[in-house]
Amino acid sequence: MTTAFGRAWAGIVSLLPGPADLAEVRRDPRRDLLAGLTVAIVALPLALGFGVSSGLGAAAGLATAVVAGALAAVFGGSNLQVSGPTGAMTVVLVPIVGRYGPTGVLTVGLMAGVMLVGLALLRAGKYMQYVPAPVVEGFTLGIACVIGLQQIPNALGVPKPEGDRVLAVTWRAVEEFAKNPNWTAAGLAVAVAAVMLLGARWRPTVPFSIVAVIAATVVAQLAHLDAAKPIGDLPAGLPVPSLSFLDLGSLGTLLAPAVAVAALAALESLLSASVADGMTVGQRHDPDRELFGQGLANIAAPLFGGVPATGAIARTAVNVRTGAGSRLAALTHAAVLAVIVFAAAPVVSKIPLAALAGVLLATAIRMVEVGSLRAMAKATRSDALILVLTAVATLALDLVYAVIIGLAVAGALALRAVAKQARFDQVPLDQGDHSAEQHALLAEHIVAYRIDGPLFFAAAHRFLLELTEVADVRVVVLRMSRVSTMDATGALVLKDAVEKLQRRGILVLASGIRPGQRQVLASVGALDLLCHDGRECATTPDAIRAARDHLETAGVLSALPDHQPRTSGGEAQR
């Protein structure tokens, strides 16, 4: 008991910050502080916009950026990751808000945080590597489309229609705009998006998002544009942490949404951390620590009224490009946003919602990497299919279902490709004696077949058909040393084929059975069928000798008119 507790405690300690993290922070603090300030400027309109889009308001987005951003920076597994509210999470939260209200979202965030900590303790971070690239690309494309569509009501200056299906909501918003056009709001949204997109091409290092938002706010205030609805009042500081939103009786109802939020937080955070690693030299994140940090961040954020958080790919990329080298940069970003919350809430409250919609529209457009999509679509038909299905499922269903569908289709196509690698061919006894030995075997009505590749459920049916069609032989030798993998289905199909051949009076022997294959074959009762008189055939020559012994005992071999002497070539052939 003490040993088990010690191992568990050691596992928890390994997820906590250590001396190496502090050493990284001390290396170049000035550069990290400057990077953190730059990221905060970029993150401010995004935090406000995603908070509004989620349905909990701009204050919730700021609280998430401050609280979750700070905790994930300290406890996360990446030195460069920046966390906060994201568009992907907003897509998941909108239907949860519509169904369970703001308190339901806070409860879901808390539950998801606990799940993420559990995944970290179970060391589940390594499984991120099994998500195929087409699923990630399709997922990203679908998210970009949903984020863009979610901004249409605010961009057009119309009240957000009821509903949680983004396509239906967008269509009703467009119909409302057609009845009562609000060109002021639409103009601000388009102008902000245009400044961001064109400015990024002109001066990539300038944070044009904050420049465009400030300009739109100044124009709206000076011109008294009443049609440009502002964010509204913001609290001058973070609320006192509280669990008043928690209703223990609703935990069962909210379990499924919490699993969805936890799955998305894990997927997006680990993906973002991997992107950061790819942009640098020598940086490698710890996936389990990253899950642990995101779990703590999501446990704490709801206490302050914040929405669930994840690692943010765009903000993380800005952090890397501006020279960040340690987690001090992400921590600085959270601290700067905290200062803004306390000191500039009245100013921030005057930002037009249409301007924030423009920021998120530009962000959605920039999420779409046309080059990557084109390359993925040209790679193989399977990759293109997976990408399209994942993107469509993201848009039509939800993100978690989209990933599940993408993984299921990718897995099925991968199994199909692997199954095609299985081969069942008639072969000579060895490479140096093709004609003599093979003709001798054929004359004795003994035929040798080699099984190459996997013998599992996806390939077993084809193997059964080919093997049972063997004709005009008395002994079949199966050379199994090149079977790469075998499952219970493959073993059962092999047993079935052997029994069918035995009912036709054909003896089946096997050579080169590996230890792992032997266990599977024995478990389904197939091993005894492949061994002559209880003797396992280690090599193909052993199987050939056993076959001839069987034929001689049965009085068949000596009666053959074209019987030839036995040969000894290929004694080591398996």
Side-chain angles (χ1 to χ4, degrees):
M1 180 66 72
T2 303
T3 304
F5 178 79
R7 286 198 298 266
W9 177 248
I12 295 174
V13 170
S14 67
L15 298 173
L16 298 175
D21 299 313
L22 185 58
E24 290 286 344
V25 168
R26 290 175 174 173
R27 181 168 299 176
D28 195 346
R30 183 176 179 181
R31 185 180 63 180
D32 289 331
L33 291 172
L34 181 59
L37 176 61
T38 304
V39 175
I41 293 172
V42 173
L44 176 60
L46 294 174
L48 294 170
F50 288 134
V52 172
S53 294
S54 70
L56 269 71
L62 280 175
T64 302
V66 173
V67 177
L71 285 173
V74 173
F75 293 98
S78 171
N79 287 327
L80 306 175
Q81 180 92 286
V82 178
S83 300
T86 63
M89 187 60 73
T90 300
V91 173
V92 173
L93 296 180
V94 169
I96 298 177
V97 173
R99 186 171 303 176
Y100 304 105
T103 58
V105 171
L106 299 180
T107 303
V108 163
L110 182 65
M111 295 170 66
V114 174
M115 292 177 187
L116 288 171
V117 171
L119 289 175
L121 295 176
L122 293 172
R123 308 292 173 176
K126 59 181 176 292
Y127 294 109
M128 171 61 194
Q129 63 185 317
Y130 297 113
V131 179
V135 174
V136 174
E137 292 291 342
F139 178 75
T140 305
L141 175 61
I143 289 173
C145 294
V146 174
I147 292 172
L149 292 173
Q150 283 181 339
Q151 309 317 309
I152 297 302
N154 283 336
L156 298 180
V158 299
K160 182 180 177 181
E162 295 293 330
D164 55 9
R165 293 296 179 186
V166 66
L167 292 173
V169 169
T170 301
W171 179 253
R172 288 198 290 269
V174 172
E175 288 181 330
E176 183 63 27
F177 178 81
K179 295 176 183 176
N180 299 293
N182 184 345
W183 296 110
T184 300
L188 283 177
V190 171
V192 169
V195 168
M196 286 182 61
L197 295 173
L198 297 176
R201 290 178 173 270
W202 178 50
R203 289 285 190 274
T205 58
V206 177
F208 279 99
S209 58
I210 195 69
V211 172
V213 168
I214 291 174
T217 304
V218 170
V219 169
Q221 291 298 308
L222 294 180
H224 303 289
L225 301 178
D226 296 333
K229 183 180 177 182
I231 290 175
D233 293 337
L234 291 174
L238 295 174
V240 176
S242 171
L243 277 172
S244 59
F245 62 85
L246 187 61
D247 179 9
L248 297 179
S250 66
L251 296 184
T253 306
L254 295 173
L255 181 60
V259 170
V261 168
L264 177 60
L267 177 65
E268 189 173 12
S269 297
L270 294 178
L271 174 62
S272 177
S274 297
V275 170
D277 290 347
M279 296 176 66
T280 61
V281 177
Q283 290 282 356
R284 287 294 178 268
H285 74 283
D286 183 329
D288 297 316
R289 276 192 64 187
E290 185 60 32
L291 291 178
F292 184 72
Q294 295 295 335
L296 294 182
N298 279 287
I299 290 173
L303 305 183
F304 294 88
V307 298
T310 74
I313 296 177
R315 276 155 276 179
T316 298
V318 171
N319 195 37
V320 175
R321 293 193 188 105
T322 49
S326 78
R327 57 192 68 230
L328 178 61
L331 189 59
T332 301
H333 133 272
V336 171
L337 291 177
V339 171
I340 293 174
V341 170
F342 281 99
V347 177
V348 174
S349 66
K350 298 183 184 301
I351 296 175
L353 290 174
L356 293 181
V359 170
L360 299 187
L361 283 171
T363 301
I365 293 172
R366 290 166 64 175
M367 285 176 66
V368 180
E369 295 286 348
V370 178
S372 297
L373 294 175
R374 186 182 293 114
M376 200 68 61
K378 289 182 178 180
T380 66
R381 292 181 179 178
S382 297
D383 289 334
L385 175 63
I386 294 167
L387 189 153
V388 172
L389 281 178
T390 306
V392 171
T394 302
L395 188 60
L397 302 174
D398 65 45
L399 302 191
V400 176
Y401 282 131
V403 172
I404 292 173
I405 290 172
L407 289 175
V409 174
L413 293 174
L415 286 175
R416 178 171 172 266
V418 171
K420 285 184 176 180
Q421 296 176 4
R423 294 177 60 83
F424 179 66
D425 298 318
Q426 182 178 348
V427 294
L429 181 60
D430 64 28
Q431 297 296 326
D433 195 18
H434 285 202
S435 57
E437 186 66 20
Q438 187 70 3
H439 286 314
L441 291 176
L442 291 173
E444 297 164 7
H445 292 258
I446 301 172
V447 65
Y449 288 94
R450 183 176 63 211
I451 307 172
D452 282 344
L455 184 59
F456 69 133
F457 68 93
H461 180 67
R462 180 164 56 89
F463 167 80
L464 172 63
L465 292 177
E466 293 185 20
L467 182 57
T468 53
E469 289 175 357
V470 172
D472 196 28
V473 297
R474 291 180 170 83
V475 180
V476 170
V477 176
L478 299 178
R479 296 169 59 177
M480 300 181 61
S481 60
R482 296 191 184 184
V483 175
S484 57
T485 185
M486 181 186 298
D487 65 358
T489 303
L492 284 170
V493 167
L494 180 59
K495 176 186 177 183
D496 188 26
V498 172
E499 289 176 340
K500 288 183 177 179
L501 291 174
Q502 287 180 342
R503 285 196 291 270
R504 292 168 49 193
I506 299 173
L507 175 67
V508 181
L509 301 174
S511 67
I513 301 176
R514 298 178 181 179
Q517 300 165 4
R518 188 179 298 116
Q519 179 180 352
V520 177
L521 291 168
S523 67
V524 299
L527 187 61
D528 292 339
L529 296 176
L530 297 171
C531 297
H532 181 59
D533 294 334
R535 290 181 293 129
E536 187 173 328
C537 303
T539 65
T540 300
D542 291 340
I544 297 296
R545 282 193 293 270
R548 285 171 169 155
D549 290 343
H550 168 75
L551 294 177
E552 287 181 349
T553 302
V556 175
L557 188 59
S558 59
L560 293 172
D562 53 355
H563 169 60
Q564 298 187 26
R566 303 181 187 182
T567 59
S568 58
E571 287 294 323
Q573 186 74 20
R574 298 179 68 85

